């Protein structure tokens, strides 16, 4: 029994470090995703909408929605 508990204790810090590494990249991933959708919205507005801000608003909201969906999927995949 003691050996089994000792093995679990040794694996636990490694698992925690892996979880911390995965969670630390989430903010960067969200920022990059939203930024790319904002750039796409600016380009769509400049190209198709005479620089009105319709596409930038739509693309920003879409980017936020997609990034939140991806983050929730990643967090659900991480098991504590």
């Amino acid at each position: 029994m003691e050996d089994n508990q000792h093995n679990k204790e040794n694996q636990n810090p490694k698992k925690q470090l892996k979880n911390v590494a995965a969670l630390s990249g989430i903010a960067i991933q969200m920022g990059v995703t939203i930024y790319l959708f904002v750039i796409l919205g600016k380009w769509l507005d400049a190209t198709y909408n005479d620089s009105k801000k319709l596409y930038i608003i739509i693309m920003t909201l879409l980017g936020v929605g997609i990034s939140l969906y991806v983050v929730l999927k990643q967090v659900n995949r991480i098991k504590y």
Side-chain angles (χ1 to χ4, degrees):
M1 272 292 194
E2 287 182 30
D3 290 333
N4 196 12
Q5 286 179 338
H6 184 66
N7 287 339
K8 286 182 182 180
E9 290 173 2
N10 286 341
Q11 291 174 358
N12 197 18
K14 290 180 184 178
K15 187 175 181 180
Q16 288 177 350
L17 184 61
K18 181 181 174 186
N19 290 342
V20 168
L23 291 173
S24 66
I26 287 177
I28 295 169
Q29 181 179 354
M30 283 186 72
V32 169
T33 303
I34 295 168
Y35 176 75
L36 291 175
F37 273 88
V38 168
I39 296 299
L40 177 63
K42 285 182 179 181
W43 179 79
L44 287 171
D45 277 335
T47 305
Y48 299 110
N49 203 19
D50 288 336
S51 297
K52 295 177 186 168
K53 297 188 179 198
L54 175 66
Y55 288 118
I56 194 169
I57 293 169
I58 292 170
M59 290 295 118
T60 302
L61 291 174
L62 185 63
V64 169
I66 289 172
S67 65
L68 284 174
Y69 174 77
V70 171
V71 165
L72 288 174
K73 298 266 297 178
Q74 286 177 346
V75 168
N76 284 335
R77 203 176 317 147
I78 298 172
K79 297 183 181 179
Y80 289 101

